[in-house]
Amino acid sequence: MHVVIMGCGRVGAMLAHSLENLGNTVAVIDQDASAFRRLGPDFKGLTIKGVGFDREHLIEAGIERAGAFAAVSSGDNSNILAARTARETFGITNVIARIYDPKRAEVFERLGIPTVATVSWTNEQILRHILPAGAKEEWRDPNGQVALAQVDIHPKWIGMSLHKIEEHTSIRIAMLTRLGASVLPTGQSVLQEGDLVHILARIEDLPEIESTLAKAPVH
C-alpha cells in the first residue's frame, strides 16, 4: 500500500520507517526541508517540501494512488485540514490526524476523522489505524487460556451499543480506548468511530472472534 504522511517530526519519521519496513511505499510532506534529515539515508520513499493540504503537493506525493493518509504535523488546524482534504477531495477513506487538544479532537471525531491524542498514543497505535492486523494480545493469564486482546472491528458496528455487540457475538468487551483514554463499558455505552475495542476471550476463540468482528453485522 502507498501511504502519504504530512509532518516529518519524530512521529512522522518513525511512522514512515515503520510503514516502509512493513513493505509499504511512503511519501512524506513537510514545510521544512531540513526535517527530512530525520528519515536518514535508508529511507527509500518520496519527500516533498510543502503543505499537506495543498492539492499539488498531495498529488506529487501520490495521494491519488494512496491507501491511507496520516497528518502528524505539530499543528492541529493543519492536520485536520489536510485530513479533510485527503478524504473529501481525493476520496481517501483511511485517514488519521494527530491532535494536541482533546476537546477539539471530539469535534473532529464527529466529522468522521479518527484522531490520535499526542500524549497517550504511540507509533504502534497509529499503525493499527492504518494497517489493521487482527487481534493484539495485551495480557494472557498464567495458564495460557484467556487473553485480553485489542481487536479490529468493521465500521458497520459503529453506533451499536456494546451490549448488543456482546449479544450478537457472544464476546465480553472489557474496555474501550477513546481519544487516548480508557473507558469502562456501561449499559449505555455505544461504539464510536475511532474507538479501540479490548475484549476478554479464550485464546482458542480469538480467530473466530476476529473473523466475526471484521465483517459487517448480520441482522
Side-chain angles (χ1 to χ4, degrees):
M1 177 169 66
H2 183 62
V3 181
V4 177
I5 299 171
M6 183 187 82
C8 197
R10 286 182 297 175
V11 172
M14 184 183 298
L15 187 59
H17 279 294
S18 297
L19 287 164
E20 204 168 60
N21 289 339
L22 290 169
N24 302 281
T25 60
V26 181
V28 183
I29 304 172
D30 200 290
Q31 296 184 73
D32 181 6
S34 66
F36 298 134
R37 288 182 295 189
R38 293 189 178 94
L39 295 169
D42 296 332
F43 181 66
K44 300 179 179 61
L46 297 172
T47 55
I48 294 92
K49 183 181 182 300
V51 292
F53 47 83
D54 180 90
R55 191 173 184 275
E56 291 185 4
H57 293 153
L58 285 168
I59 291 174
E60 185 180 352
I63 192 69
E64 293 169 310
R65 58 185 173 87
F69 177 84
V72 294
S73 76
S74 59
D76 284 3
N77 289 336
S78 296
N79 288 342
I80 289 301
L81 182 56
R84 292 193 66 180
T85 301
R87 171 169 284 183
E88 296 168 13
T89 302
F90 294 98
I92 307 299
T93 57
N94 193 6
V95 301
I96 187 166
R98 181 188 190 191
I99 295 296
Y100 287 81
D101 184 347
K103 293 181 180 179
R104 298 171 75 187
E106 293 183 35
V107 176
F108 299 130
E109 290 278 353
R110 295 191 192 106
L111 295 174
I113 297 174
T115 58
V116 169
T118 301
V119 175
S120 306
W121 289 54
T122 64
N123 170 65
E124 183 179 347
Q125 288 167 316
I126 296 175
L127 277 174
R128 283 186 62 79
H129 277 279
I130 294 174
L131 304 170
K136 176 190 173 186
E137 286 189 28
E138 299 171 323
W139 172 86
R140 180 181 287 209
D141 80 291
N143 295 321
Q145 296 178 339
V146 176
L148 175 68
Q150 180 186 318
V151 293
D152 298 311
I153 192 162
H154 193 282
K156 289 293 185 181
W157 295 93
I158 294 170
M160 186 179 292
S161 72
L162 301 190
H163 178 68
K164 286 186 177 180
I165 295 174
E166 289 181 330
E167 283 188 341
H168 198 85
T169 58
S170 300
I171 66 171
R172 179 172 297 178
I173 298 175
M175 183 181 73
L176 298 176
T177 301
R178 178 174 293 165
L179 299 178
S182 299
V183 178
L184 294 177
T186 68
Q188 289 73 45
S189 296
V190 173
L191 186 69
Q192 298 181 14
E193 186 165 2
D195 285 351
L196 298 182
V197 178
H198 310 263
I199 67 168
L200 275 173
R202 293 189 305 171
I203 292 170
E204 63 188 48
D205 293 336
L206 282 176
E208 183 178 350
I209 292 171
E210 289 176 53
S211 177
T212 299
L213 292 175
K215 302 172 186 174
V218 179
H219 300 290

